Amino acid sequence: MKAIQIVKPQSPPELREVDKPEPGPGQVLLEVTAAGACHSDDFVLNLPAEGFPYPLPMTLGHEGAGVVAAVGRGVTGLSEGTSVAVYGPWGCGTCHFCSRGLENYCSRAAELGIAPPGLGNPGAMAEYMLVDDPRHLVPLGDLDPVSAVPLTDAGLTPYHAIKPTLPKLVGGTTAVVIGVGGLGHVGIQLLRHLTPARIIALDVTDEKLDFARENGAHEVVRSDADAVTNVRKITGNEGATAVFDFVGLQPTLDAAMGMVGTMGDVVIVGIGDGVAAAKVGFFTQPFEVSVRAPYWGAREELIEVLDLARDGVLKVAVERFSLDDGLEAYRRLAANELRGRAVVVPE
């Protein structure tokens, strides 16, 4: 079968022929119907060879959807042909966090060598993929897998990031979204639906700022050296109640800390270059500011996100590519040329 793989660090991915997997005990084989390309993939592709954390070659794609093609021994309750989405942050299933549905924070994953698809295990950028356990599948029902597959990360991650801040985002408050890409444009939609807060969106081009307005932002501000000043002109002395940084580079983190107001939240969602850090100290930011760096989300939250999509609340901007053209999707992702999410569809 065909698969898009990372073969060596700091090199473009390759389209290769690999063996079709067979499900072992407890596993599920999916015929892939859609796979999303994420900036996290680009981050992995550019990691240095020294200390590279994943086995190579590795099939990319941690956003996956498919239909059940076969099940391994011991799997019950799944019918062939059922359309499903893959819950990506796999855990042990039994630790303190996993038992609460928070496999994204599994305390034993590293110890047991458990890794998500596309981030340690073979991912969804292929004609078929193995899922380690049926609990990591969520039925899609009548949802289109191409439009729904980005919700497994680009929907789930901002939803998980926003939920803890919802009690603060009441009438008269302000939420700032930095970065209107694959996750950021969904974050704007979620904030618009779940809160009465005024939403200010930041990005570096007029096209992205127009995109932010289309997705529900009330105000837009250029993400440049004057961003903090310009946001403060809108919020006044109170500052922003919450700032969601979907970029995660040092300039955007510094800007977030400059925009947030007393008792506000700064939420670092974007992975950036992996080395940026928020500067926190008693005299560094307003009083009682909370800084969080959430990761992915819970399985039950993915179900909630899919229900929001089913209700017409979330509409992910998707650019569709065939598996044969999947390398172009990654090229455009690296060049920041996408207006939303790239989705690869095997044919």
Side-chain angles (χ1 to χ4, degrees):
M1 68 173 187
K2 295 177 182 177
I4 296 176
Q5 295 190 318
I6 174 172
V7 178
K8 58 182 179 179
Q10 298 185 322
S11 298
E14 298 180 17
L15 181 64
R16 311 177 79 215
E17 284 288 336
V18 301
D19 293 336
K20 177 183 173 182
E22 295 292 333
Q27 296 179 329
V28 179
L29 179 68
L30 298 184
E31 183 176 0
V32 177
T33 51
C38 176
H39 272 288
S40 298
D41 296 340
D42 189 59
F43 177 80
V44 170
L45 286 164
N46 286 285
L47 288 172
E50 185 179 354
F52 192 83
Y54 306 126
L56 294 177
M58 181 184 70
T59 302
L60 292 164
H62 56 271
E63 293 179 346
V67 295
V68 176
V71 299
R73 180 170 49 85
V75 175
T76 59
L78 273 180
S79 301
E80 290 187 17
T82 301
S83 180
V84 294
V86 180
Y87 172 68
W90 298 350
C92 70
T94 58
C95 72
H96 173 73
F97 291 106
C98 286
S99 63
R100 297 159 57 201
L102 292 164
E103 294 198 41
N104 49 317
Y105 297 138
C106 177
S107 59
R108 302 187 64 211
E111 167 194 344
L112 297 174
I114 299 170
L119 296 168
N121 272 310
M125 288 286 172
E127 295 176 278
Y128 291 86
M129 73 173 294
L130 275 180
V131 177
D132 68 333
D133 193 287
R135 75 175 187 275
H136 295 141
L137 299 174
V138 176
L140 278 179
D142 58 357
L143 284 175
D144 172 24
V146 176
S147 59
V149 72
L151 297 174
T152 60
D153 181 6
L156 176 57
T157 296
Y159 186 69
H160 179 71
I162 290 168
K163 276 183 73 175
T165 302
L166 289 179
K168 295 184 179 182
L169 293 175
V170 297
T173 61
T174 301
V176 175
V177 171
I178 301 176
V180 192
L183 275 69
H185 87 286
V186 179
I188 293 171
Q189 294 177 48
L190 287 167
L191 288 164
R192 189 66 187 257
H193 178 72
L194 298 173
T195 82
R198 174 176 48 188
I199 303 164
I200 304 173
L202 280 73
D203 215 304
V204 296
T205 68
D206 289 338
E207 181 183 9
K208 287 292 184 73
L209 296 180
D210 290 341
F211 188 41
R213 289 190 185 94
E214 292 171 17
N215 282 278
H218 298 95
E219 307 273 0
V220 296
V221 170
R222 179 81 63 169
S223 187
D224 57 20
D226 297 321
V228 173
T229 299
N230 289 330
V231 168
R232 285 279 181 173
K233 287 179 181 177
I234 300 171
T235 64
N237 293 334
E238 292 184 1
T241 309
V243 184
F244 299 93
D245 183 0
F246 288 97
V247 180
L249 293 170
Q250 196 60 57
T252 58
L253 289 183
D254 292 343
M257 298 303 289
M259 296 168 187
V260 69
T262 299
M263 299 184 71
D265 287 0
V266 171
V267 187
I268 307 166
V269 187
I271 197 170
D273 55 10
V275 298
K279 299 170 184 175
V280 178
F282 195 88
F283 296 108
T284 305
Q285 78 288 314
F287 293 121
E288 253 185 269
V289 166
S290 298
V291 180
R292 295 187 285 113
Y295 171 66
W296 228 327
R299 183 181 183 274
E300 67 175 5
E301 291 174 327
L302 176 56
I303 295 171
E304 293 166 9
V305 167
L306 294 175
D307 281 340
L308 288 173
R310 205 168 278 115
D311 292 340
V313 172
L314 298 178
K315 295 181 180 179
V316 183
V318 165
E319 294 191 44
R320 179 172 175 156
F321 298 81
S322 69
L323 192 56
D324 288 339
D325 292 331
L327 302 184
E328 173 64 9
Y330 277 105
R331 186 202 66 77
R332 292 186 59 195
L333 175 69
N336 199 28
E337 294 175 357
L338 295 169
R339 195 175 186 266
R341 207 62 157 179
V343 173
V344 172
V345 182
E347 297 176 351

